[in-house]
């Protein structure tokens, strides 16, 4: 079994708001293994991004966020570290790629400069070496004419190129973990495929754990090894990609999979959708959080909150009905 | 970049042309005859006619304009009708205190306002933030003459740290020079400081909420460099704009403060000249301020291009 590099244990993230503390993440636990690609899926507002940004402690802890639980990296709980120690981990050991590269790259610095900066913060190298390495990084992420592109500004590059630059920034220091927060959402389909290919290639080449956050199940099915399905700040199902797609146990997962448009469906046929919308954080339903939208919900579902339970070697699910099904068979 | 700067400089020329025409026309738009107005009610026909001939007012307008512009380009701004001194030398002797005062007040404003605005934005909602907001509100609401009076009373009369008024030139030593200018510089700079503080805070807040700051944090950039490098360079466009406005204001709007503190500057010269109807002097000062406005805006435009690569493109 591959080395376990990141353990998230009962992570809770609460935000201070005018109406008091709101729990955006409620007891999320999972692991990331070296060399794997872990997909995290769910609708908007389910806490995927908050989870990833909580791992790096990117939220303002003075005014905005309260974390609890543990995020263990190399046996160390990241929440025990000072901000200074945290800065040494960010970008060097755990890196992040964001959704929109145009707004995530600093508009007034050249792309080369932004890659160099990552190198010079974390590695004790000269400017000249950093420049050489940065050019190499640009080449590695598939940017043609890296020497020329080095001096360009983000706004002078195409969307796909910018995303590649952002990946180059994130990978410059060869991190152990790359968190990619919807890296392809802002791109058109052909570029999406290229960027995903690049992510898979880098995952193999650098032997790092990749957390791919997305709402695109097709991308997950094609690239990931394992997948976490999140709903309203909790993990509702976890398992190997094959298992989840072949035998989804949670009604929410089933709904998500059924919602993928199929090419062989009839024209005019309505696309599948999950009834209702994600409730706001202040109004988390009692019992199972998905119960109000679940077509199978029974009396128990509305009163008692289900636990995330292991149903087989690799699959976990948070559903009363799945339990029963597992008991029976 | 050179092309960009060249374009900016070229675009200023037509503006200067319009400015010169407008200022020239001012004289001729004023109802009545400038020569008669200058000499007053008791002047005889001959006196007025003589002055008209001396001022060249009897020639065609277009010719007058070209003569005037030609003289300007040679540095000849005319001769004061009051004391026969050349306007150039009058302005030259009065501009030094004004420039000193402007630089001093802008230094005070920028050195206080920019860091304070940044600190306020960094610690939004904290006591420091509320303090900065309150101070900047006070600065914007408090007219400079009132603040000047308070400063005189406190530091000049009560504490006796600075002279109540009066001006000492650079030739009397830098210390004495600065000492005589401190109170007026604070009075003049406080409003600019308030404005800069507000703008720094506002644009810093906007920048700090942006994705690229989050990204920079995620790649391990230290807190100081995050503020001083990543965020600061993005707020510069706003800061340059405000600073440019402040420069113009400090140089052209100091009349009240200069009169209050008895500083023989350009503002005072203008006020006095208006009182004396010293027409050439007023005209030249107005022209100077207008040209100065245009030039400062040109420099601001060029600086935009220096700090933001996106501006250079179109």
């Amino acid at each position: 079994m591959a080395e376990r590099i990141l353990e998230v244990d009962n992570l809770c993230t609460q935000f201070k708001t005018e109406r008091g503390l709101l729990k955006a993440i409620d007891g999320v636990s999972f692991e990331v293994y070296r060399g794997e690609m872990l997909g995290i899926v769910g609708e908007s507002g389910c806490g995927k991004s908050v989870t990833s940004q909580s791992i790096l402690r990117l939220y303002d802890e003075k005014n905005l966020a309260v974390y609890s639980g543990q995020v263990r990296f190399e046996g160390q709980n990241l929440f025990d570290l000072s901000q200074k120690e945290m800065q040494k981990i960010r970008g060097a050991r755990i890196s992040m790629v964001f959704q929109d590269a145009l707004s995530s790259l600093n508009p007034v610095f050249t792309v080369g400069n932004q890659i160099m900066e990552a190198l010079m913060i974390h590695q004790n190298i000269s400017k000249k070496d950093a420049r050489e390495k940065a050019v190499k990084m640009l080449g590695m992420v598939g940017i043609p004419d890296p020497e020329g592109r080095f001096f360009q500004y983000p706004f002078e590059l195409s969307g796909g190129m910018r995303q590649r630059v952002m990946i180059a920034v994130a990978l410059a220091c060869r991190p152990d973990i790359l968190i990619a927060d919807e890296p392809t959402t802002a791109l058109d389909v052909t570029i999406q495929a290229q960027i995903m290919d690049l992510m898979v290639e880098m995952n193999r080449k650098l032997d790092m754990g990749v957390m791919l956050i997305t709402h695109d199940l097709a991308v997950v099915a094609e690239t990931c090894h394992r997948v976490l399905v999140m709903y309203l700040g909790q993990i509702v199902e976890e398992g190997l990609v094959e298992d989840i797609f072949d035998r989804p146990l949670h009604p929410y997962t089933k709904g998500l999979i059924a919602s993928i448009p199929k090419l062989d469906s009839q024209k005019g046929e309505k696309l599948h959708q999950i009834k209702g919308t994600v409730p706001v954080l202040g109004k988390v339903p009692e019992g199972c959080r998905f119960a109000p939208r679940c077509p199978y919900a029974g009396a128990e579902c509305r009163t008692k909150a289900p636990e995330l339970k292991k149903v087989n070697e690799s699959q976990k699910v948070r559903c009363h009905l799945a339990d029963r099904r597992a008991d029976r068979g | 970049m050179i092309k960009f700067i060249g374009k900016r400089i070229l675009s200023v020329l037509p503006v200067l042309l319009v400015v010169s025409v407008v200022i020239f026309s001012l004289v001729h738009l004023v109802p009545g005859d400038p020569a008669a107005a200058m000499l007053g009610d008791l002047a005889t026909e001959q006196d007025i006619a003589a002055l008209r001939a001396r001022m060249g007012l009897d020639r065609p307008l277009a010719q007058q304009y070209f003569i005037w512009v030609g003289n300007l380009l040679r540095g000849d701004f005319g001769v004061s009708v009051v004391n026969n001194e050349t306007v150039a030398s009058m302005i030259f002797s009065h501009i030094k205190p004004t420039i000193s005062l402007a630089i001093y007040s802008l230094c005070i404003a920028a050195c206080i306002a920019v860091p304070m605005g940044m600190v306020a934005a960094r610690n939004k909602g904290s006591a420091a933030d509320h303090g900065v907001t309150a101070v900047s509100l006070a600065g914007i609401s408090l007219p400079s003459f009132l603040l000047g009076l308070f400063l005189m009373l406190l530091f000049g009369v009560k504490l006796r740290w600075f002279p109540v008024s009066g001006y000492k030139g650079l030739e009397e030593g830098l210390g004495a020079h600065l000492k005589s200018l401190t109170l007026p510089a604070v009075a003049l700079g406080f409003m600019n400081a308030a404005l800069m503080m507000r703008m720094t805070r506002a644009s810093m807040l906007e920048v700090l909420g942006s994705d690229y700051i989050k990204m920079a944090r995620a790649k391990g950039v230290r807190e100081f460099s995050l503020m001083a490098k990543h965020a600061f360079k993005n707020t510069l466009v706003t800061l340059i704009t405000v600073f440019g406005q402040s420069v113009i204001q400090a140089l052209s709007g100091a009349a009240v403060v200069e009169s209050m503190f008895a500083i023989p500057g350009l503002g005072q010269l203008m006020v006095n000249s208006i009182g004396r109807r010293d027409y050439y002097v007023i005209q030249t000062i107005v022209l100077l301020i207008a040209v100065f406005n245009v030039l400062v805006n040109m420099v601001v435009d060029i600086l935009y291009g220096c700090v933001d690569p996106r501006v250079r493109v179109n």
Side-chain angles (χ1 to χ4, degrees):
Chain A
M1 189 137 194
E3 179 197 350
R4 186 188 295 172
I5 39 179
L6 187 80
E7 278 174 273
V8 177
D9 189 8
N10 198 23
L11 171 70
C12 294
T13 303
Q14 302 181 83
F15 290 120
K16 295 176 191 166
T17 67
E18 282 161 15
R19 288 166 292 153
L21 283 177
L22 280 184
K23 221 174 216 179
I25 300 294
D26 193 359
V28 164
S29 306
F30 63 92
E31 302 86 42
V32 181
Y33 296 95
R34 185 173 291 285
E36 79 163 342
M37 281 191 75
L38 171 68
I40 302 182
V41 296
E43 285 164 286
S44 310
C46 70
K48 301 168 296 202
S49 297
V50 179
T51 304
S52 62
Q53 294 188 29
S54 298
I55 291 172
L56 275 181
R57 291 172 62 191
L58 287 182
Y59 294 108
D60 178 2
E61 286 162 38
K62 228 192 274 169
N63 302 313
L64 183 64
V66 182
Y67 303 118
S68 65
Q70 292 199 336
V71 175
R72 281 190 298 275
F73 175 69
E74 294 185 327
Q76 205 167 22
N77 181 7
L78 295 185
F79 291 136
D80 291 340
L81 298 182
S82 68
Q83 279 297 335
K84 264 219 172 99
E85 291 167 312
M86 213 44 225
Q87 279 158 11
K88 287 189 188 134
I89 290 190
R90 292 183 193 132
R93 315 298 310 278
I94 308 177
S95 282
M96 197 150 172
V97 170
F98 293 90
Q99 187 181 118
D100 182 2
L102 181 59
S103 60
S104 297
L105 291 169
N106 199 324
V108 298
F109 294 106
T110 60
V111 296
N113 187 314
Q114 300 192 46
I115 302 173
M116 268 171 71
E117 189 187 22
L119 288 162
M120 291 178 65
I121 293 169
H122 297 295
Q123 299 175 356
N124 196 10
I125 56 173
S126 71
K127 221 170 182 173
K128 197 171 144 264
D129 291 347
R131 171 161 301 174
E132 254 167 48
K133 271 194 171 176
V135 171
K136 240 186 235 163
M137 277 313 297
L138 282 173
M140 192 169 106
V141 296
I143 288 180
D145 181 25
E147 284 91 359
R149 298 285 178 187
F150 185 92
F151 296 103
Q152 288 194 308
Y153 290 92
F155 76 97
E156 295 174 296
L157 301 178
S158 68
M161 287 286 177
R162 282 197 287 264
Q163 202 65 35
R164 284 174 196 271
V165 168
M166 191 145 69
I167 292 172
V169 172
L171 298 185
C173 298
R174 307 293 158 106
D176 298 286
I177 297 171
L178 175 69
I179 304 173
D181 190 352
E182 312 228 12
T184 58
T185 307
L187 304 171
D188 62 45
V189 197
T190 47
I191 310 293
Q192 270 184 25
Q194 291 173 12
I195 296 294
M196 281 323 301
D197 284 348
L198 175 67
M199 300 273 297
V200 172
E201 186 197 329
M202 291 295 131
N203 166 244
R204 279 198 206 121
K205 213 184 222 169
L206 305 180
D207 195 30
M208 55 186 176
V210 175
M211 286 171 61
L212 177 69
I213 292 157
T214 178
H215 53 244
D216 191 342
L217 283 170
V219 165
V220 171
E222 267 175 52
T223 57
C224 292
H225 307 110
R226 286 193 308 132
V227 59
L228 302 175
V229 182
M230 288 190 69
Y231 184 75
L232 215 56
Q234 293 182 326
I235 294 176
V236 293
E237 188 160 4
E238 177 186 342
L240 295 172
V241 166
E242 308 89 79
D243 293 343
I244 298 279
F245 279 84
D246 292 346
R247 289 182 284 111
L249 291 177
H250 198 284
Y252 180 61
T253 317
K254 285 180 195 164
L256 284 181
I257 292 170
S259 304
I260 304 174
K262 290 169 195 69
L263 277 178
D264 55 2
S265 61
Q266 293 286 308
K267 209 171 194 176
E269 194 179 307
K270 271 205 169 169
L271 294 173
H272 181 273
Q273 57 176 11
I274 303 174
K275 266 194 316 179
T277 51
V278 183
V280 291
L281 279 178
K283 291 184 183 140
V284 173
E286 239 176 277
C288 172
R289 295 187 171 198
F290 187 60
R293 299 175 69 190
C294 180
Y296 315 108
E300 189 191 12
C301 300
R302 291 183 219 284
T303 50
K304 201 177 135 214
E307 296 289 312
L308 188 65
K309 277 190 193 145
K310 210 165 181 171
V311 286
N312 60 42
E313 198 46 49
S314 59
Q315 207 165 353
K316 290 180 194 167
V317 66
R318 188 190 292 273
C319 178
H320 294 306
L321 302 168
D323 282 358
R324 248 173 262 151
R325 237 172 290 152
D327 289 346
R328 259 184 260 135
Chain B
M1 190 66 203
I2 290 167
K3 204 174 141 201
F4 169 78
I5 294 175
K7 261 189 187 164
R8 289 285 146 220
I9 292 175
L10 276 183
S11 71
V12 162
L13 293 179
V15 181
L16 287 179
L17 187 73
V18 172
V19 164
S20 69
V21 170
V22 168
I23 290 175
F24 176 77
S25 315
L26 270 181
V27 190
H28 301 274
L29 287 173
V30 174
D33 184 25
M38 239 181 255
L39 292 175
D41 296 338
L42 299 172
T44 62
E45 288 287 320
Q46 284 95 333
D47 286 344
I48 293 172
L51 184 60
R52 282 180 64 88
R54 207 179 99 203
M55 290 170 74
L57 291 174
D58 49 351
R59 301 189 201 177
L61 269 186
Q63 199 186 348
Q64 284 184 46
Y65 173 75
F66 286 113
I67 292 172
W68 179 63
V69 171
N71 288 341
L72 286 184
L73 291 179
R74 276 183 275 117
D76 176 8
F77 300 104
V79 176
S80 161
V81 283
V82 175
N83 56 10
N84 272 333
E85 204 182 336
T86 62
V87 176
S89 80
M90 282 174 86
I91 286 182
F92 186 72
S93 66
H94 282 86
I95 206 167
K96 276 190 280 182
T98 298
I99 289 179
S100 272
L101 181 60
I103 292 175
Y104 194 11
S105 80
L106 285 171
C107 283
I108 293 177
C111 293
I112 296 172
V114 174
M116 276 176 77
M118 285 173 76
V119 167
R122 178 73 194 84
N123 306 297
K124 192 187 165 219
S126 68
D129 181 25
H130 290 307
V132 165
T133 312
V135 168
S136 73
L137 187 67
I140 288 169
S141 330
L142 202 64
S144 57
F145 68 86
L146 197 60
L147 178 65
L149 286 176
F150 285 141
L151 291 173
M152 272 182 187
L153 186 67
L154 183 61
F155 295 105
V157 179
K158 290 262 155 58
L159 296 172
R160 295 183 180 277
W161 289 357
F162 298 100
V164 173
S165 74
Y167 171 76
K168 289 202 171 64
L170 248 181
E171 53 283 353
E172 289 175 66
L174 185 66
H177 181 60
L178 289 182
K179 205 171 172 187
S180 72
L181 283 177
T182 299
L183 291 187
V186 172
L188 190 65
F190 194 52
M191 199 206 265
N192 288 327
L195 208 63
M196 277 187 219
M197 246 187 258
R198 289 201 114 162
M199 297 302 283
T200 309
R201 179 179 177 274
S203 76
M204 202 72 189
L205 274 180
E206 192 189 319
V207 169
L208 285 180
S210 68
D211 287 346
Y212 53 81
I213 293 298
K214 194 159 71 178
M215 165 91 179
R217 197 171 268 142
K219 76 178 179 190
V221 175
R222 284 173 198 83
E223 210 54 29
F224 179 77
S225 151
L226 204 65
M227 294 294 285
K229 183 181 162 194
H230 287 260
F232 184 66
K233 200 167 175 199
N234 279 283
T235 57
L236 267 181
V237 166
T238 316
L239 289 186
I240 290 168
T241 313
V242 184
F243 195 76
Q245 289 303 314
S246 300
V247 170
I248 291 169
Q249 232 224 330
L251 274 164
S252 61
V256 176
V257 171
E258 280 179 7
S259 303
M260 262 179 73
F261 287 91
I263 295 165
L266 218 49
Q268 208 185 47
L269 177 67
M270 177 147 87
V271 173
N272 292 343
S273 302
I274 291 172
R276 296 192 295 240
R277 293 183 201 159
D278 200 341
Y279 155 78
Y280 281 123
V281 180
I282 303 167
Q283 192 186 37
T284 310
I285 293 177
V286 172
L287 178 76
L288 207 64
I289 290 172
V291 168
F292 190 71
N293 253 292
V294 173
L295 291 182
V296 167
N297 280 314
M298 182 188 82
V299 172
V300 164
D301 267 355
I302 291 172
L303 287 178
Y304 282 164
C306 295
V307 299
D308 193 338
R310 287 166 295 184
V311 176
R312 287 200 287 270
V313 179
N314 34 28

